[in-house]
Amino acid sequence: MKIGVVTVHDSSNFGSILQAFGLKKTLEKMGHDVYFIKTRSRKELYKIFLGKSKNIKKYFYNKKKYKVFMQDIEEFKEISLEDIQNKPELVDLLIIGSDELWNVDTPVFRNEYFYGISMKVKRKITYAISSGSATYERLKNYPNLIQGIKEIDNIFVRDKLTGENVKKITGKDPEFTCDPTFLVDISEFKKKYENPIKDKYLLIYSYSYSEKQKEYIVRYARENNLKIVSAGLFNSWCDKNINCSPLEFSEVICGAEAVVTTTFHGTIFSILNKKQFVSFSGKQKTKDVLEKTNLTDAIFNEEDSYENFKLHFTKKLDFNEAYNRILSMREESLEKLRRELCEEGNL
């Protein structure tokens, strides 16, 4: 079967590319040809990588980051948005997802192609779709997008809030499926990386940290003779900023003594690598994945003391239990995906 995927596979962050790669590998292992819909030019993408910062070090860091990321982005076979709109026979099935593609609080995710609109393919489904923190009240401000959701043949969601939103829109309870990074073995994400860091290091992965969070991280690192390393995101207060590709990210986590993150996929890859980690988690999606893997002990609230922050690095996290839960989620999600693909009569 020829499957078209609409997601953010050409991104400047690890998570978007890794979830797309996980879905790609899963569908290919099932014997399908997988094509990703190209929704922006490389010139547009380059501008996103460079951003608007006037920090010269960050500018050159991001230039190199673009080059490194493109190595992994080129792993995806692409077809243009115009092709899928004008030649629907190019694919047998369109899959929308994963990621926060229905988070209308983010302007880019109000684009109609994330809702299958104007794509007259035979069948459209979603996989592990998320509306992020956007509520139904926010979604209903965009009636064209609501209509697009109603016209999708089957919807699989990633989280509780999205499920509630979809039920209000369609009148049906959607089924849950796990993030695509849980669908394949961690070895699929182990691209060899020549790590320039030879000292022991504490890896951080977040778009921003508060001053208090920075204080705790720096203090802990100095007390334990650890370098503070940021991967994929430039942070001037860190000892080292390294540029690895998304598929090299897992290797960087493996080499760390511990991880501090605020992100969904930073949390997931800490779990998959069974690496001691602390999650400064304010977002529900991250809390959800920690609840599903029974690792809520990794959550640290910023209001708590530094002494409790230190204790998080010595807490015994039950990664075996977490991995068993991941395997269960994987099998359930794969079965739902196989069932859906079988409905096409092509397996």
Side-chain angles (χ1 to χ4, degrees), residues 200-204 217 220-221 226-229 258-260 313:
K200 291 183 178 181
Y201 62 92
L202 178 66
L203 180 69
I204 69 161
I217 291 167
Y220 179 80
L226 299 172
K227 296 291 185 184
I228 305 170
V229 174
V259 179
V260 180
F313 292 100

Side-chain angles (χ1 to χ4, degrees), residues 41-93:
S41 68
R42 292 292 182 254
K43 185 177 181 180
E44 291 171 317
L45 184 59
Y46 185 67
K47 288 180 179 179
I48 290 170
F49 271 83
L50 260 58
K52 297 179 180 179
S53 174
K54 295 181 179 179
N55 183 315
I56 193 67
K57 288 184 178 178
K58 186 173 183 178
Y59 172 80
F60 283 108
Y61 177 90
N62 286 338
K63 282 193 73 172
K64 182 179 179 182
K65 178 180 175 180
Y66 174 79
K67 183 178 179 180
V68 169
F69 269 53
M70 283 307 301
Q71 296 170 8
D72 289 352
I73 292 172
E74 288 172 358
E75 293 273 340
F76 300 99
K77 292 187 291 187
E78 295 181 324
I79 54 177
S80 72
L81 184 60
E82 291 74 21
D83 278 346
I84 199 70
Q85 289 171 331
N86 299 325
K87 302 175 184 177
E89 69 276 5
L90 284 176
V91 298
D92 303 301
L93 173 71

Side-chain angles (χ1 to χ4, degrees), residues 189-221:
F189 303 103
K190 294 281 189 179
K191 184 178 176 182
K192 184 65 177 173
Y193 177 66
E194 295 298 329
N195 198 329
I197 310 300
K198 305 307 176 188
D199 301 309
K200 291 183 178 181
Y201 62 92
L202 178 66
L203 180 69
I204 69 161
Y205 181 59
S206 176
Y207 298 98
S208 63
Y209 287 101
S210 69
E211 291 304 313
K212 190 171 185 180
Q213 289 170 343
K214 291 180 195 176
E215 176 193 338
Y216 282 6
I217 291 167
V218 171
R219 185 174 172 186
Y220 179 80

Side-chain angles (χ1 to χ4, degrees), residues 319-337:
F319 288 112
N320 289 330
E321 169 65 15
Y323 192 69
N324 286 336
R325 291 185 175 214
I326 290 168
L327 287 178
S328 178
M329 285 191 287
R330 178 185 297 174
E331 284 309 308
E332 289 176 6
S333 297
L334 285 173
E335 182 55 37
K336 290 170 185 175
L337 192 54

Side-chain angles (χ1 to χ4, degrees), residues 210-272:
S210 69
E211 291 304 313
K212 190 171 185 180
Q213 289 170 343
K214 291 180 195 176
E215 176 193 338
Y216 282 6
I217 291 167
V218 171
R219 185 174 172 186
Y220 179 80
R222 298 297 176 255
E223 287 178 1
N224 291 275
N225 198 29
L226 299 172
K227 296 291 185 184
I228 305 170
V229 174
S230 177
L233 295 162
F234 185 87
N235 287 284
S236 59
W237 56 277
C238 292
D239 296 313
K240 189 74 175 178
N241 290 277
I242 60 174
N243 254 318
C244 60
S245 80
L247 292 175
E248 293 169 334
F249 181 51
S250 193
E251 286 281 282
V252 176
I253 289 178
C254 275
E257 295 299 304
V259 179
V260 180
T261 187
T262 65
T263 74
F264 182 71
H265 283 101
T267 297
I268 284 180
F269 277 86
S270 296
I271 296 169
L272 289 174

